[in-house]
């Protein structure tokens, strides 16, 4: 074999090797960038959900606590004005929970949105019961409203726990998705 042909063949192999290595390196870099973008997006999505869940949970707790204080004031009998103040506070924080629920409904998933809607509905029912209790003629001693309120307190607590469980599960799924995409 002629030295010129050998040199040309060697140069051709070298160029092809360099081009192949460059192409593989570029493909590998693109794959790493895509993988990192997927992880970053999943983390951003998880953070957005966590923020939406927290933004709903805080006013839901505040509403429940205001409603409990209103009921205590009604049971005391002489605290009607305090009951009305607490009912107004509950109405305001229930509005905040409703607004937060809207963002939460967009973030999803459906299981968390449904659990949040269940909390919202139970709080509204509890608020309505206490308003009716305030308007009843013998409000401090109205056993029907006292019993109904006791059932609603339990229902609200169970629904808040259900929401928290659903939210935690959704966030854990998002974390699992991020962890598996890193592998």
């Amino acid at each position: 074999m002629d030295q010129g042909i050998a040199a040309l063949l060697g140069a051709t192999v070298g160029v092809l090797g360099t081009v192949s290595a460059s192409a593989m390196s570029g493909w590998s870099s693109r794959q790493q960038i895509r993988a990192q973008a997927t992880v970053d997006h999943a983390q951003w999505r998880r953070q957005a959900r966590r923020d939406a869940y927290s933004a709903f949970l805080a006013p839901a707790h505040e509403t429940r606590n205001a409603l409990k204080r209103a009921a205590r004031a009604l049971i005391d009998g002489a605290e009607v004005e305090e009951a009305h103040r607490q009912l107004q506070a509950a109405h305001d924080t229930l509005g905040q929970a409703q607004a937060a629920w809207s963002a939460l409904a967009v973030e999803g998933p459906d299981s968390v949105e449904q659990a949040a809607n269940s909390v919202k509905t139970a709080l509204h029912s509890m608020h309505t019961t206490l308003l009716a209790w305030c308007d009843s003629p013998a409000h401090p001693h109205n056993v029907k409203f006292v019993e109904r309120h006791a059932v609603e307190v339990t229902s609200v607590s169970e629904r808040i726990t259900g929401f928290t469980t659903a939210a935690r599960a959704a966030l854990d799924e998002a974390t699992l998705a991020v962890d598996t995409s890193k592998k």
Side-chain angles (χ1 to χ4, degrees), residues 8-170:
L8 184 60
L9 192 57
T12 303
V13 168
V15 167
L16 287 176
T18 302
V19 169
S20 296
S22 177
M24 290 297 282
S25 175
W27 177 82
S28 176
S29 293
R30 280 191 303 279
Q31 290 302 101
Q32 285 178 329
I33 290 169
R34 281 189 190 123
Q36 186 61 45
T38 300
V39 168
D40 290 346
H41 178 74
Q43 287 175 335
W44 169 80
R45 186 91 172 117
R46 183 183 188 281
Q47 181 65 39
R49 282 183 170 178
R50 193 179 88 193
D51 292 347
Y53 301 164
S54 297
F56 173 78
L57 196 55
H61 275 292
E62 289 177 36
T63 302
R64 181 188 62 183
N65 293 338
L67 291 171
K68 286 170 127 180
R69 288 189 300 269
R72 271 189 242 116
L74 287 171
I75 290 170
D76 291 343
E79 303 287 330
V80 177
E81 288 181 28
E82 177 60 20
H84 283 291
R85 275 193 295 280
Q86 292 302 324
L87 285 169
Q88 183 58 49
H91 180 267
D92 295 344
T93 55
L94 191 54
Q96 292 170 7
Q98 172 67 35
W101 172 82
S102 299
L104 184 147
V106 170
E107 290 299 329
D110 288 341
S111 60
V112 176
E113 185 275 328
Q114 290 167 359
N117 194 44
S118 173
V119 169
K120 192 170 54 86
T121 300
L123 287 169
H124 181 70
S125 176
M126 192 173 167
H127 187 258
T128 302
T129 297
L130 290 173
L131 287 172
W133 187 359
C134 275
D135 292 341
S136 71
H139 68 266
H141 306 292
N142 196 325
V143 175
K144 177 179 88 171
F145 285 115
V146 173
E147 289 174 348
R148 184 170 174 187
H149 174 70
V151 168
E152 288 179 337
V153 166
T154 302
S155 175
V156 166
S157 292
E158 289 171 351
R159 290 176 184 201
I160 286 175
T161 299
F163 168 77
T164 305
T165 301
R168 193 175 298 125

